[in-house]
Amino acid sequence: MIRRNLPLGTLLIAGLATAWASLPPTPARATVAMQTPELAHIEGMAETAIDQFLHKDFKTAHRTLGRMQHAFDILHREISHKPYDERKERELATMHLWLREMGIAIDNRSGIGGAIAANQLTASLIRYQDFPDTVKSSIAWLDYLGREIVLLNMEGPRRNASLLEFQRNDLQVTWHTLRRLLLRDMRNKPVTLRVDDVVEHLTTRLDRNDQVQDGNKLLSLIDRMDRLPDPLAAASR
């Protein structure tokens, strides 16, 4: 569903954006080494754009959008000689739609609308890519879900109640799969137990402020997960 002209609760968003900004910058993570440099570049710019939208820095977001559109032009040239792939073509088309939604959000000065559009673009990037294993794809998807839960709560938990329920269920399923794989290497247990607590809180503590706080905790832990020993890589040696 394409979202347009999303309302922005100025005081609430300003406060929650401050909470979001307290996290360290998060460049494109699990997907960088697995696709073309342009894909990694687009992913990093999309995550940067989320921060710019949340701070209502529309001038800078406009420049970031222009760079993203240029990167997509380069990507199209890179893949034009490759065999047709229906999934990738579909996700590329979807990413272009989200780029357009980001432009509409800039025109309408909708910070939360632009942030949600940029995050949806990262979801299409994840679906587009060919990951080497389930650990890396699950970490990338968990990263998207954490941001989405934060952003949907910032926009309004009541209006997004059904979407949030769906995303929280997806979060549980994704974490269950990833958790089982991470625990093949017991060095991963401390972080795994911390994520257990955060995922439980995200699915039971439904107050908006709790959701934003716990979602940001999850995103911080995902940064740590990227540096954990890869149990699948260890098993293959």
Side-chain angles (χ1 to χ4, degrees), residues 14-30:
L16 295 179
T18 300
W20 178 283
S22 66
L23 291 175
T26 54
R29 286 185 280 266

Side-chain angles (χ1 to χ4, degrees), residues 3-209:
R3 309 160 66 91
R4 299 179 185 274
N5 304 327
L6 299 174
L8 184 62
T10 304
L11 294 177
L12 173 65
I13 296 305
L16 295 179
T18 300
W20 178 283
S22 66
L23 291 175
T26 54
R29 286 185 280 266
T31 58
V32 169
M34 283 162 280
Q35 274 290 348
T36 68
E38 285 310 315
L39 270 181
H41 188 40
I42 293 167
E43 187 173 12
M45 287 189 291
E47 292 186 358
T48 297
I50 292 172
D51 292 330
Q52 292 165 350
F53 276 116
L54 289 180
H55 288 90
K56 294 192 274 189
D57 186 357
F58 298 109
K59 183 177 181 179
T60 308
H62 185 267
R63 290 198 297 267
T64 300
L65 178 60
R67 290 194 293 270
M68 291 175 70
Q69 290 167 332
H70 178 66
F72 267 104
D73 290 340
I74 295 173
L75 177 63
H76 274 291
R77 289 196 295 270
E78 289 179 350
I79 67 174
S80 60
H81 64 283
K82 295 183 179 180
Y84 176 78
D85 185 312
E86 181 180 358
R87 169 178 59 88
K88 293 190 174 186
E89 291 293 332
R90 180 177 64 250
E91 295 303 337
L92 278 173
T94 303
M95 283 185 264
H96 278 289
L97 288 176
W98 289 117
L99 281 174
R100 188 175 69 177
E101 292 301 309
M102 289 170 65
I104 292 172
I106 290 169
D107 291 341
N108 292 335
R109 302 186 68 79
S110 174
I112 192 64
I116 289 173
N119 195 46
Q120 286 298 319
L121 189 146
T122 70
S124 286
L125 276 169
I126 294 167
R127 290 190 293 262
Y128 176 92
Q129 297 179 72
D130 300 312
F131 287 87
D133 57 58
T134 305
V135 169
K136 291 180 176 59
S137 62
S138 296
I139 289 175
W141 194 248
L142 209 63
D143 196 29
Y144 153 71
L145 288 171
R147 288 193 302 267
E148 189 72 358
I149 288 171
V150 170
L151 293 171
L152 291 176
N153 273 284
M154 289 173 74
E155 185 188 23
R158 288 188 178 181
R159 68 172 293 178
N160 291 316
S162 59
L163 270 174
L164 281 165
E165 182 179 4
F166 179 84
Q167 301 290 32
R168 284 190 287 260
N169 289 338
D170 196 356
L171 178 74
Q172 287 181 299
V173 171
T174 303
W175 173 237
H176 178 76
T177 299
L178 179 57
R179 182 186 195 279
R180 176 175 49 82
L181 294 172
L182 289 175
L183 288 177
R184 291 183 182 181
D185 188 324
M186 292 308 293
R187 289 176 294 176
N188 296 334
K189 187 172 182 179
V191 171
T192 301
L193 293 177
R194 290 187 63 186
V195 177
D196 280 343
D197 290 340
V198 173
V199 169
E200 180 182 0
H201 289 164
L202 279 169
T203 54
T204 57
R205 302 199 314 181
L206 304 185
D207 174 79
R208 183 197 328 229
N209 291 330

